[in-house]
Amino acid sequence: MNLRYRYSWVLLLTFLSCKEKVNKLQVETIALNDTTEVELLQDSLVKPVLYFNVPDLSRLPVQESKAKFIAITLPSVLIARYHIDSRRDSIAALVTKEKWSKEDSTLFLREKQRFKAHDINNLLDRMITHPNSITLAQAAVESGWGSSRFFRQANNLFGIWAYNEDEPRIAANNNQVYLRKYDDISESIEDYFVTLGRARPYKEFRKARKKTNDIDVLLPFLRRYSQRGAAYVHQLKTIIRQNDLTRYDNYKLDPQYFKEE
């Protein structure tokens, strides 16, 4: 029997006209028994779905495999972006807030540490996200379009390493290298955004994304994500072009799955 249920994911405080509001995102989780249960994207308004037990998509015909990978991944990309963007909005509101509450300070200090920021303005710069097409292309490369063991067993799309033996992780080879194990795909994507937001090799990428969402401008600054450098950037450009991934840059979470409280 297909295990399908709904749960609510409560986001952190957002601010509007100096009044605090809480947005609740209704997220559906689907434990897959078969690839036929993947809900293909119908339009630019995307239902927030988290998939579990993703099978090896490489067994499918190429175009079907890619379509299913995008249908599985894009909702998680949008969920991860929404989490970060919501927290960023809350922190941006603190710039002009005369007196911070204990919750305000806790949020700021937690995100400041997480993104290794110097101050609040630097933190806001580091929390800027980037176009969906870039994230999808990197996810496709790093996970082999969803065929990697690390993606299927650890929800790790980007091959992010684990250095702490106390954190959930999975052995990569001979128990000498470990990769992080995530509870769901959106956690992996959020960690990827944090990595690009705080790591020194992506300093120029962060500067560029403050000014533009043009993928042709941004992609060259990701050359240090891989030892292949320029060849890696060329691969990303090719994947985006051949699979028309820029069409997903305007895709958003369907508003009907948000509730204001």
Side-chain angles (χ1 to χ4, degrees), residues 197-250:
R198 72 183 186 185
R200 185 175 298 177
Y202 312 115
K203 182 178 180 179
E204 297 304 315
F205 176 76
R206 291 193 290 271
K207 287 182 179 179
R209 75 182 181 185
K210 281 180 60 178
K211 301 175 181 178
T212 182
N213 277 326
D214 187 332
I215 63 170
D216 290 324
V217 174
L218 293 175
L219 284 173
F221 295 110
L222 290 175
R223 61 187 178 277
R224 296 184 66 181
Y225 198 93
S226 167
Q227 292 181 340
R228 296 188 293 120
Y232 177 74
V233 172
H234 177 73
Q235 183 181 19
L236 294 178
K237 288 183 177 180
T238 300
I239 286 176
I240 290 173
R241 183 182 69 253
Q242 290 182 346
N243 297 280
D244 192 20
L245 295 186
T246 53
R247 82 179 102 157
Y248 301 111
D249 285 340
N250 294 320

Side-chain angles (χ1 to χ4, degrees), residues 18-126:
C18 299
K19 293 183 180 179
E20 294 184 354
K21 305 175 78 174
V22 176
N23 285 330
K24 185 180 289 186
L25 176 62
Q26 307 293 316
V27 179
E28 180 177 343
T29 64
I30 299 178
L32 295 172
N33 294 309
D34 188 83
T35 57
T36 58
E37 296 172 346
V38 177
E39 300 179 9
L40 295 178
L41 303 175
Q42 301 299 321
D43 55 46
S44 61
L45 295 180
V46 179
K47 180 166 71 172
V49 180
L50 291 175
Y51 289 96
F52 295 85
N53 302 336
V54 178
D56 187 354
L57 300 176
S58 65
R59 299 177 182 178
L60 300 174
V62 173
Q63 292 307 314
E64 181 181 358
S65 172
K66 290 181 177 182
K68 294 281 175 79
F69 176 77
I70 292 171
I72 290 169
T73 306
L74 184 57
S76 288
V77 172
L78 296 176
I79 291 169
R81 288 187 67 177
Y82 189 79
H83 288 166
I84 292 175
D85 291 345
S86 295
R87 290 195 294 270
R88 187 179 187 278
D89 289 344
S90 296
I91 291 170
L94 299 180
V95 174
T96 56
K97 194 173 183 181
E98 292 185 4
K99 186 176 181 180
W100 290 10
S101 67
K102 180 179 179 180
E103 290 76 14
D104 293 337
S105 298
T106 298
L107 171 63
F108 170 68
L109 292 174
R110 182 174 63 242
E111 296 303 311
K112 180 175 180 285
Q113 180 179 24
R114 190 182 188 200
F115 282 88
K116 297 182 178 179
H118 309 306
D119 52 44
I120 193 167
N121 290 318
N122 182 243
L123 175 59
L124 292 172
D125 289 346
R126 292 180 178 228

